[in-house]
Amino acid sequence: MSALSFDTQRVALTIGAFGGSFTIALSVGRFLKRRASVQLGLLYQLFCLALAFYVALAVYGVQAPWRIHFAAAVILLSTALIVALVNRYIWDVYFERRKQTPIPHFLREIVALVIFVVALLFVLSFAYHAERELKGVVATSGVVAVILGLAGQNLLGGIIAGMSLQINRPYKVSDWLKVGDTYGEVMEINWRSTRLRTNDGIYLDIPNNEIVKTTIVNLHYPTEIHAMRIRVGVDYNVPPNQVKDALTRAAQSAINVLPEPKVRVFLVDFGDHAVIYEIKFYMGNHSRINETNDAVRTNVWYELKRQNIKIPFPIRTLHVERRPPVTLDQGHEEARAILRGEPLFQCLSDDQIDNLVKQSDLNHFGRGERVIEEGAEGDSMFILLRGAAEVSVAKNGSTIPVASLRSGDCFGEMSLLTGEKRSATVQADGDCYVMEISKDVMGEVIRESPDCLRQLSDLLARRKMDTEGILKEAATPNAEQAAKQREYSAKFLRRLKTFFAL
């Protein structure tokens, strides 16, 4: 029993001598490197291991000829050549150059240590015939390894998971990930954890052994273009196709929403208070998700408001409150005043203007929305009651601003009276309130006052001549200008009669 205890103590002292001498030699090398700038690489580390090996042999009391010691030193130091070959042809050539997989420095050092340990065991077993002593060392080190493993299992698990992430590279720095219910940008990947930063500027340090157990959604692989979804509840009384068209228009015109792939809208559920639709749109960098979601939801509100489509909400209690009916008289009054001053409508009586206003639609447009688009079909005109808008035309692939509209301005009259395509794009500069006069409403008024056709054709002819520069070139009328006026008037009169089927 005492002999066994003595052997155990000797093994423990040998292990302590090995570890202590190796630590001291390595510390000396680091001191020289930091203070004297002496560059010591892997070969010096192997020297430290070999030195620690001979110190341990001396403590254990092993006696052997100098030839055996010399051969053992050669074998131990020759591992430097093996490690260099492994680094060159396995790590550098095969993995990094051929497989495009970078190998972490930590993994290289672990493999080098394993190679040295194998050489060390070979020397001990065949050169010093220390099989019996090795069994004691293995038994003692096994107990120590179990204790260390239990104490540092989370750390070791994180390191192993970190090695797996570095080799497989499911994500890289600057990628946006969805880990569980959390969205974050990868800021750092180390051996223990992955650090994410959310849109709120909050840093999350997630251990690698936990992140590998969850489903990782990389929003930037293989490209940063990815789809997002927003759900909207809509009144049951509105036809689904009408809702889908409205939601598609609203989402497609929002900032950061990509034109391709196209926006898709799905009817996903019949809720207890609304029909649930899901808008699927595509965007680029996920860091703009808050601005993009805000733009989509804002455009959806304005578009549904214009289409008189309600967004219902659950009712839990019944509260009856009598309120005066909401009317649009204020908007109608504004429109009446504007139309009375517009030359196009001076041929109409007050009653006709009132009927025109009452039968026209009042609509809201949000900032950045297009009221009309250049080249689009149209058969209506608009009156800007409140707000401001910008007029632009497309030329050589770029957009050129040409005018600004303010409250009281009219636009789109050529499409209303002749059916021409829109000649420019009008985009809301802020929240706008506009009245739209349609072809059907205007046609009913014109049929009641056929004399207006001649006045309208003359007015359109003068506007066309002014656009072409004829009126600006000649300050006083002449025969050629009068003939041009008659030609344009006759042409517009025929187009008006044809367009309104008169």
Side-chain angles (χ1 to χ4, degrees), residues 285-297:
N285 194 298
H286 196 80
S287 62
R288 300 189 292 267
I289 185 61
N290 289 337
E291 295 83 356
T292 307
N293 282 344
D294 170 75
V296 172
R297 291 189 175 102

Side-chain angles (χ1 to χ4, degrees), residues 229-344:
R229 300 170 185 265
I230 291 179
R231 293 195 173 191
V232 181
V234 176
D235 192 349
Y236 266 96
N237 295 321
V238 185
N241 286 335
Q242 181 181 350
V243 177
K244 290 181 180 180
D245 291 342
L247 296 180
T248 301
R249 287 194 301 271
Q252 194 68 72
S253 60
I255 60 171
N256 299 329
V257 174
L258 300 177
E260 293 291 339
K262 297 290 186 183
V263 172
R264 302 280 307 274
V265 178
F266 306 95
L267 195 160
V268 295
D269 194 13
F270 294 101
D272 56 352
H273 66 284
V275 180
I276 308 301
Y277 294 86
E278 186 174 74
I279 306 171
K280 178 183 178 182
F281 59 91
Y282 288 83
M283 60 176 295
N285 194 298
H286 196 80
S287 62
R288 300 189 292 267
I289 185 61
N290 289 337
E291 295 83 356
T292 307
N293 282 344
D294 170 75
V296 172
R297 291 189 175 102
T298 300
N299 285 7
V300 165
W301 188 93
Y302 281 108
E303 182 66 29
L304 296 183
K305 185 74 172 178
R306 283 194 298 274
Q307 300 297 328
N308 292 321
I309 300 175
K310 294 181 179 180
I311 303 177
F313 51 89
I315 302 297
R316 294 293 178 263
T317 59
L318 180 62
H319 177 67
V320 179
E321 182 178 357
R322 298 185 181 277
R323 296 181 179 179
V326 179
T327 63
L328 299 176
D329 288 342
Q330 183 178 0
H332 286 166
E333 287 298 332
E334 295 175 9
R336 288 190 192 98
I338 294 171
L339 290 181
R340 285 192 181 98
E342 173 62 34
L344 282 173

Side-chain angles (χ1 to χ4, degrees), residues 422-439:
R422 305 295 188 186
S423 59
T425 296
V426 177
Q427 190 172 22
D429 196 29
D431 283 4
C432 293
Y433 190 41
V434 300
M435 172 175 281
E436 182 178 7
I437 302 174
S438 65
K439 171 188 174 182

Side-chain angles (χ1 to χ4, degrees), residues 163-441:
M163 293 170 57
S164 174
L165 292 175
Q166 291 283 357
I167 295 174
N168 296 325
R169 298 183 67 82
Y171 53 82
K172 62 182 185 299
V173 174
S174 78
D175 283 353
W176 275 84
L177 308 181
K178 180 185 179 185
V179 182
D181 295 330
T182 302
Y183 290 89
E185 181 183 8
V186 180
M187 305 303 296
E188 180 184 349
I189 307 171
N190 54 51
W191 293 109
R192 191 192 66 83
S193 63
T194 296
R195 183 167 296 178
L196 305 179
R197 183 180 63 185
T198 68
N199 264 320
D200 297 326
I202 298 174
Y203 283 80
L204 305 175
D205 205 47
I206 305 177
N208 290 328
N209 57 341
E210 292 185 10
I211 203 170
V212 296
K213 297 177 183 177
T214 62
T215 300
I216 304 172
V217 179
N218 191 338
L219 300 174
H220 281 191
Y221 180 82
T223 67
E224 65 177 19
I225 297 176
H226 60 282
M228 297 299 295
R229 300 170 185 265
I230 291 179
R231 293 195 173 191
V232 181
V234 176
D235 192 349
Y236 266 96
N237 295 321
V238 185
N241 286 335
Q242 181 181 350
V243 177
K244 290 181 180 180
D245 291 342
L247 296 180
T248 301
R249 287 194 301 271
Q252 194 68 72
S253 60
I255 60 171
N256 299 329
V257 174
L258 300 177
E260 293 291 339
K262 297 290 186 183
V263 172
R264 302 280 307 274
V265 178
F266 306 95
L267 195 160
V268 295
D269 194 13
F270 294 101
D272 56 352
H273 66 284
V275 180
I276 308 301
Y277 294 86
E278 186 174 74
I279 306 171
K280 178 183 178 182
F281 59 91
Y282 288 83
M283 60 176 295
N285 194 298
H286 196 80
S287 62
R288 300 189 292 267
I289 185 61
N290 289 337
E291 295 83 356
T292 307
N293 282 344
D294 170 75
V296 172
R297 291 189 175 102
T298 300
N299 285 7
V300 165
W301 188 93
Y302 281 108
E303 182 66 29
L304 296 183
K305 185 74 172 178
R306 283 194 298 274
Q307 300 297 328
N308 292 321
I309 300 175
K310 294 181 179 180
I311 303 177
F313 51 89
I315 302 297
R316 294 293 178 263
T317 59
L318 180 62
H319 177 67
V320 179
E321 182 178 357
R322 298 185 181 277
R323 296 181 179 179
V326 179
T327 63
L328 299 176
D329 288 342
Q330 183 178 0
H332 286 166
E333 287 298 332
E334 295 175 9
R336 288 190 192 98
I338 294 171
L339 290 181
R340 285 192 181 98
E342 173 62 34
L344 282 173
F345 301 98
Q346 288 181 354
C347 62
L348 302 181
S349 65
D350 290 344
D351 291 340
Q352 289 175 323
I353 290 180
D354 289 343
N355 290 333
L356 190 67
V357 169
K358 289 179 181 178
Q359 297 180 60
S360 299
D361 296 327
L362 295 170
N363 289 320
H364 291 269
F365 284 86
R367 178 178 58 253
E369 287 196 283
R370 294 180 178 181
V371 184
I372 59 175
E373 188 167 357
E374 182 179 2
E377 301 288 344
D379 57 1
S380 62
M381 70 170 290
F382 297 84
I383 304 170
L384 186 58
L385 302 179
R386 301 170 204 159
E390 297 294 328
V391 184
S392 61
V393 295
K395 187 175 182 180
N396 297 329
S398 60
T399 301
I400 303 174
V402 295
S404 297
L405 301 178
R406 296 293 180 265
S407 298
D409 290 339
C410 301
F411 55 95
E413 62 274 7
M414 293 298 291
S415 296
L416 169 67
L417 298 176
T418 65
E420 290 185 0
K421 292 184 177 181
R422 305 295 188 186
S423 59
T425 296
V426 177
Q427 190 172 22
D429 196 29
D431 283 4
C432 293
Y433 190 41
V434 300
M435 172 175 281
E436 182 178 7
I437 302 174
S438 65
K439 171 188 174 182
D440 295 336
V441 175

Side-chain angles (χ1 to χ4, degrees), residues 1-6:
M1 184 68 181
S2 60
L4 179 60
S5 175
F6 176 75

Side-chain angles (χ1 to χ4, degrees), residues 18-39:
F18 181 88
S21 57
F22 175 76
T23 303
I24 293 173
L26 196 62
S27 299
V28 171
R30 290 183 177 178
F31 176 81
L32 293 174
K33 182 178 180 181
R34 294 177 181 176
R35 296 297 179 89
S37 299
V38 178
Q39 298 298 324

Side-chain angles (χ1 to χ4, degrees), residues 142-156:
V143 174
V144 174
V146 170
I147 297 174
L148 293 177
L150 292 175
Q153 58 181 344
N154 290 332
L155 177 61
L156 293 175

